[in-house]
Amino acid sequence: MTGILTPSFHASSIHPEVEDLLNKVVGNYIKQKERQKMKPITSDCETLLRQENEELCILKQVLEKKIEELLELQEQYKSREVAMTRSLEESGEKVTQLSDSVALFKSIIPDTKKAIASAEKSIDILENKCQQLEDIISAKDRKIIALADNISSYTRYSDINIEPEIYSSTKERKLWVERCSESEYNLEVQKKYAFRLTSSIALRGNSIH
């Protein structure tokens, strides 16, 4: 049959098996058309066959484009699969590291508990010692206060300007009687010496008699 174009596929990006399959489908279609038209070919028949052949060529181009798109998608999926596989491997490594860390922490927990218990015992001992020291300091403070009171009392009664409760001699007693008597009219003596109340009362009694 003259004038009939037989399409063939030459897309280098298409898999050879797919290309052969498409060529076979198109060839079978053309042969079927030829068997159906055993009568002499007229110009109208030739034109019709030519149009059908052109339509098949267009269909072939459409199929080639679709196949190329599918191949591109396949490559994208492969790239994503590789990336996901790598990510899973990295995640697996991180999980392994995390598991190792957890195991390490679990292994040191008993030692940590023992150290905490020992520290708590040490703290209790130190607190007891601190309490004992506080008790000792408190007792010493009381002794110091009592000693200070005794010293103050001794100093107060040993002051030569204060009349003692007990005279060391008769001479001292007469001296304080004279001072007390003098203080009745001498303001400076009153300021300088401190007399016991009993001495003042006794002095007044003697003056009345």
Side-chain angles (χ1 to χ4, degrees):
M1 179 182 299
T2 60
I4 299 176
L5 299 177
T6 302
S8 61
F9 295 90
H10 300 288
S12 59
S13 60
I14 300 177
H15 195 277
E17 294 181 359
V18 176
E19 183 178 357
D20 292 339
L21 179 61
L22 290 174
N23 287 328
K24 287 180 181 179
V25 171
V26 174
N28 291 334
Y29 178 80
I30 293 173
K31 289 179 181 179
Q32 184 179 2
K33 287 294 184 180
E34 289 177 350
R35 285 195 298 269
Q36 291 176 356
K37 299 183 181 295
M38 299 300 295
K39 296 179 181 181
I41 299 175
T42 62
S43 59
D44 293 337
C45 291
E46 185 176 357
T47 301
L48 180 61
L49 290 175
R50 191 181 299 276
Q51 290 177 352
E52 291 178 352
N53 193 25
E54 290 176 354
E55 291 176 357
L56 287 173
C57 290
I58 294 172
L59 178 61
K60 172 205 174 247
Q61 293 176 356
V62 173
L63 289 174
E64 286 179 347
K65 186 175 181 180
K66 292 292 184 182
I67 291 173
E68 289 177 357
E69 292 176 355
L70 290 174
L71 290 173
E72 290 178 359
L73 289 175
Q74 184 179 7
E75 291 298 326
Q76 293 178 4
Y77 286 133
K78 286 182 179 179
S79 299
R80 292 180 181 178
E81 182 180 1
V82 172
M84 291 180 65
T85 302
R86 186 180 297 110
S87 178
L88 288 173
E89 291 176 353
E90 293 176 354
S91 299
E93 292 177 357
K94 291 181 180 179
V95 170
T96 302
Q97 294 176 357
L98 183 60
S99 299
D100 294 340
S101 299
V102 171
L104 176 62
F105 287 138
K106 286 183 178 180
S107 65
I108 64 176
I109 284 176
D111 294 336
T112 304
K113 288 182 177 180
K114 291 179 181 179
I116 292 173
S118 177
E120 289 177 349
K121 290 181 180 179
S122 299
I123 291 172
D124 292 338
I125 293 172
L126 290 175
E127 287 180 349
N128 291 332
K129 289 184 178 180
C130 288
Q131 185 62 44
Q132 293 175 1
L133 289 174
E134 288 179 358
D135 295 340
I136 293 172
I137 291 171
S138 178
K140 288 185 177 294
D141 286 341
R142 290 194 296 270
K143 289 182 179 180
I144 291 171
I145 292 172
L147 181 60
D149 291 341
N150 292 334
I151 293 173
S152 177
S153 176
Y154 175 78
T155 303
R156 184 174 64 252
Y157 289 115
S158 62
D159 193 342
I160 59 175
N161 294 331
I162 299 175
E163 182 181 6
E165 294 182 359
I166 301 174
Y167 304 109
S168 60
S169 62
T170 304
K171 182 179 179 181
E172 185 181 15
R173 180 178 180 280
K174 289 181 179 181
L175 177 62
W176 278 102
V177 170
E178 291 176 357
R179 289 173 178 172
C180 185
S181 177
E182 187 178 359
S183 67
E184 291 290 332
Y185 56 87
N186 191 334
L187 185 60
E188 293 298 327
V189 174
Q190 293 180 9
K191 293 179 179 180
K192 184 176 180 180
Y193 299 103
F195 301 97
R196 291 187 290 109
L197 181 61
T198 55
S199 297
S200 300
I201 294 173
L203 182 61
R204 291 193 187 96
N206 292 332
S207 62
I208 293 173
H209 293 296

